[in-house]
Amino acid sequence: MDHLPAPLFSATYFQDPYPTLGWLRDRSPVHEFAFPVGAVRTWIVTRFDDVRAMLADQRFSSEGGTWGSPEFQAAGLVSGAGSVLEKAVTVVDPPAHTRLRRLVMTAFTPSRITKWQTAVEKAVATALDDCEARGSFDVMAHYAGPVSSTVMSEILGLRIDRHEQLVQALAQAFPSDDAQMPKVAEGFARICDYAADLVAEKRRRPDDDLTTALLRARDDGDRLSEEELVATVAAMILAGSDTIRAFVGNAVLALLDHPDQRDLLAERPGIEEPAVEELLRYEGALSTALFRVTTEELTFGDTVLPAGAPVIAALLSANRDPRQFDEPDRLDLTRTRLRHVGLGHGLHNCLGAALARLEGRIAIPALFRRFPRLDLAVARHDLRYIENWAMRRLVALPALTTGASR
Amino acid sequence: MTSGDRETEATVRVDPRLCRGTGLCQAMSPALFRLTGAGHAEAVEARLTGPEALETARSVADCCPMGAVELTVGPSTGGPDRPER
């Protein structure tokens, strides 16, 4: 085959990206294509070693608004452009990044993360009760979604009435239906508004939550400005909600697809932690990292990248690279010393990684423990993925608690 | 030795039990940290001298999502050539 099995970011690609990613790894590991929005010249990097090297190389900047080519900026591809999110820790370079990340990490203390365990367990138990009452349910809408948004609300200290509105705003910011795309910006704006309200509220009434901890975060007399605080809280809501929903859905499907591994998860004590690492490798929430742009003309592998070139690191592809993993398409919870890029790599690797692992470690096994006969309620080939180039998420995962197959 | 001198020396170490090879340390400072072939991080040199290197290492330790970077400020402790106290 001398052409791509499916064009990048086409409808066919979204439903099954793996043949295309495999072809790219073998034939065109640093591949130029026209990004669907604005037909901007863009490159995608698909091999594990290259993805890791690129994400560790500071000549690949996260500041699209500073270094991106004029076409890239004109096409509106700078994340958070024109909003407070342009200042978020996710999209700035050092030294601003170092300062922000240090301040934010002071709020992510081990004792705080330990406390979150109770919040996760409670959210999981409540969602499981609801699913059990339903009998047949959608893992995405009735389990992964409620768990991720409840935990996020609890951690940030959102009032319960605000929680429902946040769920709606998140649905708007991360639509499952392509027709809803024009409303995405409004969803992002609503989340920034919630973040601003939340910061104002916690300033008036401090509590024992992450927002208050961020308000108080200090580092050698330095602290977050009002704008940075709002950007940080908004970025946490955006980065920590839909990703968990996506990851739990992908992990549940991976285990339904691999009954032997599902049995292993149920039977082997202490396997939860390595299991989460393998599930993050096998199919994490993110297909790609956020855009990087080159700060100068540079040669990467055999490819010359012009200055300002948008480059995409294909995390999903790197984690299935046979150059790095034996039988990468097989889920094997017993893999040891696993190093993957499911939570990114380098400067911008997932800041909430400890929380993501905690939620996965609790929520994924709990579902199978409560419903040992869990089974798909639809044919496997009827499952659909959202049409989003950066996020790998099922639209729905209908399940029965009374599957006959087990 | 005064406390001022002490703050220009430190020992840096990556705890292999905590490190998940996120690459943050190497990306922040390739001069101080590198990834091994197995994908774990390690300090290029365990002993650091000079306020600049210390400040960089402190930033990296604060930013590591696994809390795997340990910085012990002060002259070398432990090991066979530990001075008598």
Side-chain angles (χ1 to χ4, degrees):
Chain A
M1 206 186 308
D2 54 7
H3 60 277
L4 283 172
L8 281 165
F9 310 156
S10 63
T12 312
Y13 169 88
F14 288 130
Q15 296 316 313
D16 184 9
Y18 295 106
T20 299
L21 296 173
W23 188 94
L24 287 171
R25 282 193 304 265
D26 290 342
R27 314 286 186 91
S28 184
V30 183
H31 182 76
E32 183 182 339
F33 71 109
F35 193 81
V37 178
V40 179
R41 279 182 85 192
T42 301
W43 285 259
I44 185 165
V45 174
T46 44
R47 287 186 185 173
F48 184 88
D49 282 345
D50 288 343
V51 162
R52 224 167 48 161
M54 172 196 151
L55 293 177
D57 186 336
Q58 299 208 23
R59 295 174 302 168
F60 291 89
S61 165
S62 293
E63 293 186 10
T66 310
W67 300 104
S69 65
E71 315 83 273
F72 177 78
Q73 300 202 25
L77 296 177
V78 179
S79 34
S83 84
V84 64
L85 282 165
E86 212 170 353
K87 297 262 169 59
V89 64
T90 40
V91 290
V92 296
D93 289 342
H97 173 265
T98 310
R99 181 184 155 262
L100 280 178
R101 182 140 183 162
R102 276 179 83 157
L103 279 162
V104 173
M105 289 307 281
T106 63
F108 275 80
T109 56
S111 66
R112 195 173 302 278
I113 292 168
T114 309
K115 215 193 91 188
W116 292 341
Q117 179 160 343
T118 318
V120 177
E121 283 166 350
K122 218 173 82 185
V124 162
T126 306
L128 285 174
D129 289 346
D130 176 56
C131 292
E132 188 162 2
R134 288 171 188 272
S136 72
F137 63 96
D138 173 7
V139 173
M140 303 308 291
H142 302 129
Y143 188 64
V147 167
S148 63
S149 61
T150 305
V151 169
M152 188 48 65
S153 292
E154 182 78 17
I155 284 174
L156 289 171
L158 215 63
R159 288 200 319 269
I160 192 77
D161 55 323
R162 275 278 149 131
H163 171 74
E164 281 309 310
Q165 295 170 340
L166 178 67
V167 171
Q168 288 167 19
L170 280 167
Q172 207 175 356
F174 299 105
S176 295
D177 174 2
D178 224 23
Q180 300 300 313
M181 285 307 287
K183 293 229 163 194
V184 166
E186 194 188 310
F188 274 67
R190 280 174 70 187
I191 287 165
C192 289
D193 289 346
Y194 287 134
D197 288 353
L198 190 60
V199 168
E201 189 186 316
K202 296 299 166 182
R203 209 183 274 292
R204 284 195 305 272
R205 250 188 313 270
D207 205 345
D208 186 22
D209 51 46
L210 183 63
T211 309
T212 307
L214 289 167
L215 268 163
R216 292 175 173 161
R218 268 171 218 283
D219 185 39
D220 276 349
D222 188 17
R223 59 194 306 185
L224 295 168
S225 72
E226 188 70 20
E227 203 181 28
E228 289 166 347
L229 262 171
V230 173
T232 304
V233 171
M236 298 220 170
I237 294 172
L238 289 166
S241 304
D242 208 41
T243 46
I244 294 286
R245 176 160 67 133
F247 172 52
V248 170
N250 293 348
V252 169
L253 181 60
L255 289 160
L256 289 172
D257 281 343
H258 295 80
D260 59 325
Q261 298 303 299
R262 171 186 174 167
D263 291 344
L264 199 66
L265 182 65
E267 287 155 14
R268 188 177 294 188
I271 200 170
E272 289 88 350
E273 275 186 43
V276 165
E277 295 312 307
E278 169 66 352
L279 289 162
L280 283 166
R281 179 199 71 82
Y282 184 79
E283 198 163 64
L286 296 183
S287 300
T288 70
L290 295 177
F291 270 118
R292 297 299 193 272
V293 288
T294 50
T295 58
E296 56 186 73
E297 184 185 290
L298 60 94
T299 304
F300 190 75
D302 298 329
T303 308
V304 176
L305 300 169
V311 188
I312 293 171
L315 305 176
L316 203 61
S317 171
N319 281 337
R320 296 285 188 107
D321 187 348
R323 292 160 193 80
Q324 178 69 19
F325 304 102
D326 291 335
E327 292 188 73
D329 297 327
R330 191 166 61 85
L331 183 76
D332 177 1
L333 305 184
T334 65
R335 288 180 202 264
T336 52
R337 301 180 65 77
L338 187 60
R339 295 292 166 264
H340 58 78
V341 291
L343 295 167
H345 185 77
L347 220 50
H348 293 278
N349 73 76
C350 181
L351 198 146
L355 176 61
R357 291 188 161 105
L358 179 72
E359 291 194 56
R361 182 163 59 73
I362 295 172
I364 297 160
L367 183 70
F368 290 100
R369 244 192 329 269
R370 176 73 70 99
F371 307 119
R373 294 163 72 90
L374 193 78
D375 203 357
L376 282 182
V378 295
R380 177 68 174 79
H381 63 256
D382 284 340
L383 294 175
R384 311 290 295 167
Y385 288 86
I386 59 165
E387 301 203 338
N388 182 301
W389 63 278
M391 174 84 68
R392 179 81 175 148
R393 172 164 69 74
L394 287 157
V395 172
L397 181 53
L400 295 165
T401 58
T402 53
S405 63
R406 301 188 62 84
Chain B
M1 183 175 278
T2 69
S3 64
D5 290 334
R6 204 161 281 161
E7 280 171 22
T8 64
E9 268 191 82
T11 304
V12 66
R13 177 177 174 270
V14 178
D15 187 333
R17 292 163 308 169
L18 296 177
C19 177
R20 300 244 186 214
T22 65
L24 177 118
C25 55
Q26 184 205 27
M28 282 181 78
S29 178
L32 299 187
F33 299 93
R34 65 183 165 217
L35 287 187
T36 65
H40 290 82
E42 63 184 19
V44 174
E45 296 282 348
R47 292 295 298 158
L48 299 179
T49 47
E52 209 172 302
L54 254 69
E55 181 52 24
T56 303
R58 195 175 284 128
S59 285
V60 173
D62 287 348
C63 290
C64 172
M66 306 313 298
V69 177
E70 294 168 1
L71 189 70
T72 314
V73 178
S76 182
T77 56
D81 19 308
R82 176 155 73 159
E84 299 267 345
R85 298 191 64 120

